[in-house]
Amino acid sequence: MSPRFFPYSHLVFRSGIPVIAVSGFHIQLIHASTGAVLFSTLNSPPYIQESLKKSGPIRCAVLDNSNTHLVTLADDKKLKVWKLDGLELLHERELPKRPTSATCTVDGQTIVVADKFGDVFSYPLHPPPGSESQVSTSAPLPQEDSTTPDEEISVYATADITLPAAETSSKKRKSKKQKLHENPPAPRSSLASHVPTSDGTLILGHTSLLTCFFLTPDNKYIVTADRDEHIRISWYPQGFCIESFCLGHTQFVSAVHIPSDRPGTLISGGGDAELKIWDWRSGKHEMDIPILDSVKPYIKVKVKSCTRTASTNSTEEQADQSREGTEHQESAPPASEEQAVLAVQKIRTLSDYILFTVTGGSALFSAPFLNGTSTAPSVHAVNFGKPVLNFTIAPDKRIWVNIDLNWSENGDDSQAGKAIRVVNLAADGQLSDVSLTSTPPILDALQEKCLIEASAEDLATLNFYSSLKSLPKNTGEYDGDDDDLGNATPRATGIPKNIRTNTRKQSQGPGGGKKEQGKLKSQKAVAEKTKKHGNQSVDRDVEDVVPHEEYASESKLLKSEDPVTEADSEDIRMLDS
């Protein structure tokens, strides 16, 4: 079996410094001209390598403006800060919740981090002296309870040690008590969903999963987007002051960008069928760029649908069928089938064109930046055959694209293809792959000697496409239902129907949707039960005076006659007297 390698998740190109390549758990600094590996975490001390592996794949890597410090986030709740010169791990800090993305301020002295609970915190670049959050990166000390003084047992040792049952249970109880104090609940008066740690300061919070954010170049505003279709522009660091909202998306927002040459324009995308252009200071929507038809053929990674099926039989009918042993066979959920889900992954601009990718898509796309035009711009694509993981624009205007070389349409272990592609953008917006015609030393190094071998277990932890399941909501609005003419449309994609008309889902007739019908059914059952108990109590009171059948017939007559009853007439006579 041929060896398998980590694909590159991040590449950082800047003038005057080595190229930063992130793949799996590791970081490499590569000379931009010769392709020589200058520094690598593969050469770090064993305890740092073991710590990196325990943290999981690196999900975010951010370099400050001074090209001095590198910030990384992984699957654990650790914020790691590296000194770029020598690739030295300065410190790591515990965060309250699992982080999703980070950025650095202009001065490089503050790190802003967003987490899965929708909160954004800021942290000083270096922990204050004597702070509990400061973690030493020196070699771990031997344990004090060693059996022999000559033995040194590292905290990163991989040997299996069998403990007695009593000692094991006591350690488990101790670990549970420690976990109670690791992440205490936030007080009722707190504005954050959890208590900040490591000297963090709350900037703002969303009530939904925060998908992406960034600071404007002047660091006066922070732009945040969430799973509930919201884009918020807030002051920084006074996040409680909201400048504007950009509202108009009908699906989740997963990518936002402000072009450097158009500082007043915001481009956003997510699960909708189009990219949206905004004047972010006022929140005004300017135009849409349709992308669904151009992108759909290139979505290679598909996910299984999670739609629910409602049974047409009532509870009483199901109970009768259960007693008779004839359950309704159609009530069982159908076998799940794979669907394509649209999720914009990244948006950038180059010259007068918008560059973007979609999660699980095998192409890089470009669309012209047309202001004030009514015609829909054409979308160009360059196909690589395998899903695109990321892309970055180098100082020479070339686009470096990271490819998932481990993915295969048949699910086999084939690694055919290259891990990096280089693309040129022509003046007319056409994209061309120049990886074969132009092979600089840095490209050759990334394609061969800089690849890091990985095991099958390591590759299973990458999980690049989890957002295709976590971002879309299970609304049951997917293709496969009957249209207005009664014709069944095939379940070809996981694109919700309502994004085609850019309107939210309307009421489903006079009875409402399934949720509304369920509520009405419950209310009706409660009303009938209350009425039944009320009639039984009245029957007991009048049983000696009026027979039950006569009372029932009399009540029917009262309902069918004039609404003014005898009791009402008696009240009127008393008022007149």
Side-chain angles (χ1 to χ4, degrees):
M1 181 178 178
S2 60
R4 307 185 69 182
F5 303 95
F6 283 115
Y8 297 103
S9 57
H10 297 82
L11 290 178
V12 181
F13 288 86
R14 287 194 186 176
S15 301
I17 65 170
V19 176
I20 303 174
V22 177
S23 55
F25 319 122
H26 295 285
I27 309 170
Q28 298 179 87
L29 301 184
I30 309 169
H31 197 281
S33 300
T34 63
V37 179
L38 303 178
F39 302 99
S40 173
T41 53
L42 292 171
N43 301 325
S44 298
Y47 69 93
I48 291 184
Q49 294 192 40
E50 187 66 23
S51 176
L52 289 172
K53 189 171 183 178
K54 288 183 177 180
S55 297
I58 297 174
R59 304 297 183 182
C60 179
V62 180
L63 183 64
D64 64 357
N65 290 341
S66 63
N67 301 332
T68 305
H69 298 98
L70 179 69
V71 178
T72 60
L73 301 174
D75 284 342
D76 61 348
K77 298 187 293 184
K78 294 293 182 64
L79 172 66
K80 292 183 173 66
V81 178
W82 304 77
K83 183 180 178 182
L84 196 62
D85 185 12
L87 202 57
E88 176 188 356
L89 179 60
L90 297 179
H91 48 75
E92 59 181 15
R93 283 172 282 182
E94 185 84 14
L95 300 180
K97 297 294 179 181
R98 180 178 294 181
T100 56
S101 55
T103 189
C104 296
T105 55
V106 173
D107 59 3
Q109 297 303 309
T110 304
I111 305 171
V112 185
V113 181
D115 60 36
K116 283 185 173 292
F117 273 64
D119 290 334
V120 178
F121 289 91
S122 64
Y123 300 90
L125 177 64
H126 301 289
S131 174
E132 294 181 357
S133 61
Q134 190 169 3
V135 179
S136 174
T137 58
S138 59
L141 297 176
Q143 296 181 357
E144 295 181 357
D145 55 349
S146 302
T147 54
T148 60
D150 296 334
E151 291 183 4
E152 292 184 354
I153 303 178
S154 172
V155 295
Y156 298 105
T158 56
D160 295 330
I161 301 176
T162 305
L163 298 175
E167 186 177 355
T168 304
S169 60
S170 64
K171 287 184 176 293
K172 288 183 178 180
R173 287 194 298 269
K174 184 178 180 180
S175 62
K176 290 181 180 179
K177 292 180 181 179
Q178 290 175 349
K179 288 181 179 180
L180 293 176
H181 300 284
E182 285 180 1
N183 198 7
R188 293 180 179 271
S189 59
S190 175
L191 299 177
S193 61
H194 42 271
V195 176
T197 58
S198 302
D199 305 296
T201 302
L202 176 68
I203 302 299
L204 57 84
H206 281 235
T207 57
S208 177
L209 173 66
L210 199 150
T211 55
C212 54
F213 85 100
F214 64 88
L215 295 173
T216 56
D218 57 4
N219 276 193
K220 292 183 178 180
Y221 300 96
I222 178 172
V223 181
T224 53
D226 62 25
R227 185 176 178 241
D228 287 342
E229 310 102 31
H230 303 136
I231 302 175
R232 183 199 303 179
I233 291 87
S234 310
W235 292 9
Y236 179 82
Q238 299 87 1
F240 51 84
C241 297
I242 299 176
E243 180 74 12
S244 64
F245 284 98
C246 296
L247 303 178
H249 281 277
T250 60
Q251 302 296 320
F252 59 87
V253 183
S254 54
V256 288
H257 174 67
I258 293 181
S260 58
D261 56 345
R262 293 177 174 88
T265 300
L266 174 69
I267 310 171
S268 63
D272 289 287
E274 61 278 324
L275 300 178
K276 292 185 178 296
I277 312 297
W278 311 83
D279 178 0
W280 61 268
R281 295 183 184 275
S282 63
K284 180 182 178 182
H285 174 245
E286 294 185 343
M287 66 173 295
D288 289 336
I289 301 179
I291 63 172
L292 178 60
D293 294 336
S294 302
V295 167
K296 190 190 304 182
Y298 298 99
I299 300 179
K300 300 296 183 181
V301 180
K302 298 178 174 59
V303 295
K304 293 184 178 180
S305 60
C306 300
T307 55
R308 298 178 181 178
T309 56
S311 176
T312 56
N313 293 347
S314 63
T315 305
E316 296 179 357
E317 292 176 350
Q318 291 179 359
D320 294 340
Q321 292 176 354
S322 177
R323 286 191 294 269
E324 295 173 3
T326 59
E327 286 85 355
H328 190 59
Q329 299 297 328
E330 295 180 358
S331 62
S336 59
E337 51 191 60
E338 291 185 343
Q339 300 177 355
V341 176
L342 173 62
V344 177
Q345 182 182 55
K346 187 175 183 178
I347 301 174
R348 291 295 183 267
T349 52
L350 180 60
S351 300
D352 292 330
Y353 290 90
I354 301 172
L355 305 175
F356 67 95
T357 55
V358 296
T359 304
S362 62
L364 173 69
F365 304 93
S366 69
F369 206 123
L370 302 177
N371 290 330
T373 60
S374 57
T375 59
S378 57
V379 178
H380 302 284
V382 54
N383 186 21
F384 306 108
K386 292 193 174 187
V388 175
L389 299 179
N390 202 346
F391 71 93
T392 184
I393 302 174
D396 60 356
K397 307 301 182 182
R398 289 191 174 186
I399 308 162
W400 294 68
V401 184
N402 306 355
I403 307 298
D404 186 1
L405 72 166
N406 296 304
W407 182 88
S408 62
E409 196 165 3
N410 300 325
D412 54 17
D413 295 337
S414 174
Q415 279 196 315
K418 300 296 184 178
I420 298 293
R421 299 290 186 92
V422 182
V423 177
N424 273 350
L425 176 67
D428 59 352
Q430 295 289 341
L431 297 168
S432 58
D433 187 355
V434 297
S435 304
L436 300 179
T437 59
S438 175
T439 57
I442 180 63
L443 179 59
D444 292 337
L446 290 172
Q447 302 287 31
E448 297 178 3
K449 64 180 181 181
C450 293
L451 290 174
I452 299 176
E453 190 171 347
S455 64
E457 292 77 11
D458 294 338
L459 294 176
T461 63
L462 297 178
N463 199 14
F464 289 124
Y465 313 107
S466 59
S467 60
L468 296 178
K469 291 185 178 180
S470 62
L471 289 181
K473 297 180 180 178
N474 184 17
T475 58
E477 302 175 29
Y478 296 100
D479 295 343
D481 298 331
D482 294 340
D483 56 15
D484 296 337
L485 301 177
N487 300 322
T489 57
R491 191 183 296 270
T493 65
I495 312 300
K497 292 180 180 178
N498 57 1
I499 70 173
R500 299 181 179 180
T501 58
N502 196 24
T503 56
R504 295 182 180 272
K505 186 178 178 182
Q506 303 296 326
S507 176
Q508 302 176 358
K514 296 179 181 179
K515 189 174 182 180
E516 288 75 9
Q517 291 177 0
K519 289 182 179 179
L520 292 175
K521 186 176 180 181
S522 300
Q523 294 175 359
K524 185 178 179 181
V526 172
E528 290 179 352
K529 187 174 182 180
T530 304
K531 181 179 178 181
K532 182 177 180 181
H533 287 297
N535 291 341
Q536 289 179 357
S537 60
V538 172
D539 292 344
R540 286 195 295 269
D541 294 337
V542 301
E543 187 176 4
D544 298 336
V545 181
V546 182
H548 180 71
E549 295 181 358
E550 296 179 3
Y551 174 76
S553 61
E554 185 177 351
S555 62
K556 292 180 180 179
L557 292 174
L558 289 175
K559 289 182 181 180
S560 61
E561 291 176 354
D562 195 300
V564 180
T565 60
E566 294 181 1
D568 296 335
S569 301
E570 183 66 26
D571 293 339
I572 294 173
R573 288 195 296 270
M574 291 178 64
L575 291 174
D576 293 339
S577 61

